[in-house]
Amino acid sequence: MTNIFYKLILTSFFIFLLFSGCTSTPKQDTAFFIEQGLLADKQQNYEEAAQWYEKAAVLGNPKAQNWLGTLYTQGLGVPKDYEKAFYWYKKSAEQDWAAGECNLAAAYSLGEGVEADNEKARFWFEKAAEKGDAFAQFNLGIMYDNGNGVEQNYKTAFDWYKKSAEQGFAEAQYNLAQMYRMGEGTAKDFAKAALWYEKAGEQGHSQAQFNLGMMYFEGRGIPQSYSFAKVWFERAAEQGDEKARSMLDDENLKGHTP
């Protein structure tokens, strides 16, 4: 239904301090490096942020390792380099850092910096998903929904989408609505489909906005309302949805709305 994409997390890292006769501990250094990296990141000075992140990453901080990996993935402050990104994601993931596990899984899924391997992608997504990471839960849902690296299983896909959707992940909310509408992995339930379309639509998901408009237009799972249908078609159309624009020209809709 939806392509897997990176969750990119940017924040900060640390510096080594020496004062007359006094030395700081690695833990203190790490905290300072992260603080300075975050500050540079906030100012969009990614080159400086990368330098601080690397200092913390070398000392073994899993957050810094993941953040440095995302900078290499995006090419922010450093040349884009998927192999280096993979290296740092793996370092982070091996310390059970959920964000690092997600990005490592995505690298395996996309074949960026490493040979594509859906089985390893599933393994790392699952580790992060079990920690409650909504992005990982969504991507596991995708894998089971499409049968990528696993045997296709709509019920398992539904379960992972639901966990992610309940944490507010818009793409998962949309896919969960789709499964309720089509009866895949669960009993068909148009009312619940409308509920989850609305949650995703409120977050700006244009396809969810259009689908909810159609449910109001047809009175499927919710009371028919041309007025509400028009509202959701307009919201989708504002984002460039051509189907929504077409529905706004529907004579039946025009005849029942101002």
Side-chain angles (χ1 to χ4, degrees):
M1 293 177 182
T2 314
N3 290 331
I4 295 176
F5 56 91
Y6 278 100
K7 174 169 66 179
L8 300 170
I9 304 172
L10 299 178
T11 327
S12 74
F13 288 2
F14 72 64
I15 185 174
F16 184 75
L17 288 179
L18 287 174
F19 293 106
S20 55
C22 296
T23 59
S24 57
T25 66
K27 185 175 181 180
Q28 291 170 328
D29 289 341
T30 302
F32 183 77
F33 294 157
I34 289 177
E35 180 182 352
Q36 294 302 307
L38 283 170
L39 180 60
D41 201 348
K42 184 177 181 180
Q43 296 170 343
Q44 296 186 345
N45 186 344
Y46 299 121
E47 184 175 356
E48 183 178 336
Q51 293 170 3
W52 291 118
Y53 292 161
E54 186 166 7
K55 290 177 184 292
V58 169
L59 289 181
N61 184 277
K63 289 187 290 186
Q65 291 165 343
N66 179 62
W67 293 333
L68 184 58
T70 65
L71 291 181
Y72 276 114
T73 294
Q74 292 181 294
L76 292 174
V78 292
K80 183 177 288 190
D81 190 323
Y82 291 131
E83 289 185 3
K84 287 184 179 178
F86 174 82
Y87 172 84
W88 287 113
Y89 291 148
K90 192 168 188 290
K91 289 283 188 184
S92 178
E94 287 172 346
Q95 295 192 70
D96 290 327
W97 191 251
E101 292 169 343
C102 280
N103 284 336
L104 181 63
Y108 274 121
S109 178
L110 298 171
E112 293 184 343
V114 67
E115 185 177 350
D117 189 323
N118 281 329
E119 178 56 32
K120 288 182 179 178
R122 182 208 57 78
F123 173 81
W124 288 106
F125 275 137
E126 192 167 275
K127 284 178 70 70
E130 289 171 350
K131 294 181 176 71
D133 189 283
F135 173 80
Q137 292 166 344
F138 166 71
N139 278 288
L140 267 183
I142 290 288
M143 297 190 80
Y144 280 103
D145 198 351
N146 297 327
N148 294 333
V150 294
E151 184 177 348
Q152 188 177 50
N153 188 317
Y154 289 135
K155 177 61 170 66
T156 303
F158 173 86
D159 290 342
W160 284 117
Y161 285 149
K162 191 168 188 290
K163 288 178 184 293
S164 181
E166 287 172 346
Q167 295 193 68
F169 199 80
E171 292 285 345
Q173 291 171 341
Y174 172 75
N175 283 3
L176 184 63
Q178 290 284 85
M179 300 197 87
Y180 273 122
R181 184 172 67 86
M182 295 184 289
E184 292 181 344
T186 187
K188 187 177 291 189
D189 191 322
F190 292 123
K192 288 183 179 177
L195 171 69
W196 288 105
Y197 282 140
E198 184 170 5
K199 288 181 181 294
E202 291 290 357
Q203 295 194 67
H205 195 292
S206 63
Q207 187 62 48
Q209 292 167 345
F210 171 76
N211 286 359
L212 184 58
M214 287 302 302
M215 296 191 83
Y216 273 116
F217 185 82
E218 297 172 349
R220 185 172 297 187
I222 46 180
Q224 186 180 46
S225 171
Y226 291 116
S227 295
F228 282 130
K230 182 179 179 181
V231 168
W232 286 106
F233 288 147
E234 287 176 338
R235 292 181 68 173
E238 286 171 1
Q239 298 192 70
D241 191 293
E242 292 298 329
K243 296 190 300 293
R245 288 174 179 167
S246 178
M247 286 303 300
L248 288 171
D249 290 330
D250 183 272
E251 293 300 326
N252 201 25
L253 185 69
K254 286 181 176 181
H256 288 85
T257 57

